[in-house]
Amino acid sequence: TSSTYDYVIIGGGTAGLAVANRLSEDPLVSIVVIEAGPNAEYLPEVFIPGLFGSGQALTTLNWAYSTTPQPMLNNRSLVINAGRVLGGSTTINAMLFPRAGRAQYDAWAELNRDASWGWDALLPFFRRSERVTPPDAFQVDEGGVTYDPEVHGSASDGRVKVGYPNMFFEQSTLWRQAAVAAGFPGEKDLGSGDPHGVGVSPESIDVANYTRCSATCAYYTPFASRPNLNVITNATVTRIVWDIPSPGSYSGKGQRNLRAIAVEFVQTGSNGIESVTVRREAVVSAGTIGTPKVFELSGIGNSSILRAAGIEPVLELPSVGENLADHVHSYVSAFTNASLTFDALLTNPDAISEQLSLWVTNHTGLLTSFPGSLGLPGPSNIFNNTGNFPTLLQEAKANISHFAHLFANGNALLEKGIRAQHEIVLRSYADDVALPLENSLFPGYAGTAADRPQRNYTTIMNVLYAPLSRGRTHITSSDIRTAPVVDPAYYMHPLDAATHAAGISLARKTLITPPMDSIYLGEFEPGSKVRSSKDISNSLRAAIASSDNHVTGTMAMMPKEIGGVVDTKLRVYGIENVRVADASIMPIPVSAHTVGPLRLSSRSLLIRNQSSTVYVIGERVGLFVSSQATFS
Ligand SMILES: Cc1cc2nc3c(=O)[nH]c(=O)nc-3n(C[C@H](O)[C@H](O)[C@H](O)COP(=O)(O)OP(=O)(O)OC[C@H]3O[C@@H](n4cnc5c(N)ncnc54)[C@H](O)[C@@H]3O)c2cc1C
């Protein structure tokens, strides 16, 4: 293998493999992907959709980052999961494949004054990234799937195989009906760009044999024989090597930008540093926590943080690692008299064996898909029904400066950027075009109580998916093996905490609304005694709130003068030939449709989703790079 490549991609995850795939369509360029984890597509925990939790529990495939103790969560440290495997987080995720609403992508465009990141411009990329098998009569009639072919891609050059479950639970249908009865708009395709409504989510599964379709399945395996596409697994990038034109700062006018000339890495089990030469560009796709780490280890970031970690600064870019947002997860679990739930699989080894045998024999049964069915309530309903949201919104508007200052952590430019983000988000709430929350149903227990009564459950997930709080991640050591500090600043904005608590009330309401009430046998968690807003908040802080594994924003796509790190072609400011392609570029988080945590076969799992958007980022970078081999 050559050690010089036109394009070096750091991280073979969701976006990284999409970029590699599209670039390698041109046989005249050479590409190498360097991925820290193994190719694990052969593991049943990966390819059988219903074993989603078991794959995540394989510690060898999961970075499982720990947060700092969170002051607003009674100083609890949470775990943020992320795939450490070829295919990245799509190899261990829950395969849900809806999209966020139009307004949230339009917010990125507005923030960047660049319409190419708005919904209308991104829709062709959503379509191009997927190959959807439309629902059949059973899925429409029995499963309640609503499908709009106008917004989906099904061409043979689409990449991610997407389909609908072939197994439905009665309680999912009842719950969707209850949500509509409670006032939410009715069934619709969750990829339509209109976030108001309840519906069944597509999944990134291949319905030809009901297997997971990860980024590896979509963008690598069918193309592995391309002679110009090289993938090195079990290899962790330690730094990018720069051509430094002259010593000192690179921010001065007329000075030539920094240029990546090589990428260094270590193979698992070896101490020796290896290196590949970058002929044209490097693309960093190491994920929201991994990517800023690679830049900081390479001397790019806030120089005080770098020096404290023993790294000599090369380029001052103080927003690297800042602006981190994560979705916060919680749930209400209730006892149910529904006879078919996922609970047997969580507790009974015989049931697992039986379902495994069904899957192996003819790809049927409970393991064929992820059993969560989704529903999205509109914000006006949530807040009008739960009281004081209009007041909280007013307070948030009045306090914008305070919180922008707090979250910017002394970074004056980023303070402007966070302020601009908050203004857009608060306006979108007031206009009822973006959703701060998601409720969705899991047909079984999905909490963390190992000693719970052995009964059948319904769980309503309640996810805060447009948090205003912003935290950060940074290195503390020059040693690649040291995990970075991760502080998502959960609930630091009071609107986040209040909104999330309101979601619990909303979830409860749908559980007792007809026809859902017909299978409701009382609440297990947080528990019927937890009623007042204060008690609900306390319960979230003490135990129920967890990470939704949905971190974004640490290499934010924003103008440099408001604290951005990359421009709208995802080029890093001040660097000539390096782009970022992964969830870290999302300046404002988008809606995720989430489930978890739950236990399967004694293994805990968390479920999350935003991969459809990350694929779009990868698809776009593929196009940016191939249409513009050098930077303007
Ligand atoms: C448990 C879980 C469940 C989820 N459920 C869903 C869901 O149901 N639906 C959905 O849409 N989204 C879901 N998500 C979220 C979604 O999968 C992620 O947001 C998305 O895949 C992130 O893509 P990425 O390209 O930013 O990073 P990743 O896909 O995580 O890729 C980053 C890659 O870089 C590699 N890497 C990191 N550092 C280095 C280094 N120094 N050297 C070499 N390689 C490195 C990593 O090993 C990894 O392979 C879930 C996530 C998790 C963790």
Side-chain angles (χ1 to χ4, degrees), residues 379-403:
S380 55
N381 300 58
I382 295 169
F383 300 119
N384 292 346
N385 292 345
T386 52
N388 61 346
F389 184 69
T391 313
L392 289 166
L393 205 55
Q394 283 307 327
E395 282 172 13
K397 281 182 193 158
N399 292 328
I400 267 190
S401 301
H402 169 73
F403 285 104

Side-chain angles (χ1 to χ4, degrees), residues 66-71 324 470-473 485-490 492:
S66 290
T67 73
T68 54
Q70 293 295 293
L324 184 150
R470 296 289 184 272
R472 56 202 47 85
T473 176
V485 165
V486 182
D487 175 11
Y490 294 118
M492 288 302 275

Side-chain angles (χ1 to χ4, degrees), residues 324-494:
L324 184 150
D326 191 15
H327 296 146
V328 199
H329 176 88
S330 71
Y331 58 90
V332 177
S333 62
F335 301 117
T336 179
N337 60 17
S339 52
L340 178 63
T341 72
F342 213 67
D343 293 293
L345 286 189
L346 305 178
T347 51
N348 179 352
D350 291 342
I352 293 245
S353 303
E354 188 189 329
Q355 294 300 325
L356 265 176
S357 144
L358 276 177
W359 188 91
V360 170
T361 315
N362 55 12
H363 297 290
T364 57
L366 293 178
L367 298 181
T368 48
S369 59
F370 173 73
S373 94
L374 300 179
L376 309 179
S380 55
N381 300 58
I382 295 169
F383 300 119
N384 292 346
N385 292 345
T386 52
N388 61 346
F389 184 69
T391 313
L392 289 166
L393 205 55
Q394 283 307 327
E395 282 172 13
K397 281 182 193 158
N399 292 328
I400 267 190
S401 301
H402 169 73
F403 285 104
H405 183 73
L406 179 72
F407 297 142
N409 200 22
N411 180 332
L413 299 184
L414 182 61
E415 187 172 331
K416 294 182 192 170
I418 293 177
R419 187 190 169 94
Q421 294 178 23
H422 282 190
E423 277 167 356
I424 295 173
V425 172
L426 293 174
R427 193 188 66 220
S428 69
Y429 288 173
D431 295 346
D432 196 14
V433 293
L435 305 183
L437 278 178
E438 175 196 83
N439 277 180
S440 63
L441 179 139
F442 185 84
Y445 183 69
T448 51
D451 56 351
R452 65 189 178 276
Q454 296 301 302
R455 296 175 61 177
N456 281 351
Y457 291 83
T458 293
T459 305
I460 307 298
M461 308 297 182
N462 169 47
V463 181
L464 175 74
Y465 63 24
L468 292 172
S469 303
R470 296 289 184 272
R472 56 202 47 85
T473 176
H474 293 294
I475 58 167
T476 55
S477 155
S478 59
D479 187 337
I480 182 75
R481 291 165 300 187
T482 306
V485 165
V486 182
D487 175 11
Y490 294 118
Y491 287 176
M492 288 302 275
H493 196 292

Side-chain angles (χ1 to χ4, degrees), residues 95-113:
M95 297 155 285
L96 295 171
F97 211 70
R99 302 165 187 156
R102 165 187 286 273
Q104 292 190 312
Y105 302 104
D106 288 347
W108 294 0
E110 180 181 347
L111 193 61
N112 285 282
R113 298 187 291 278

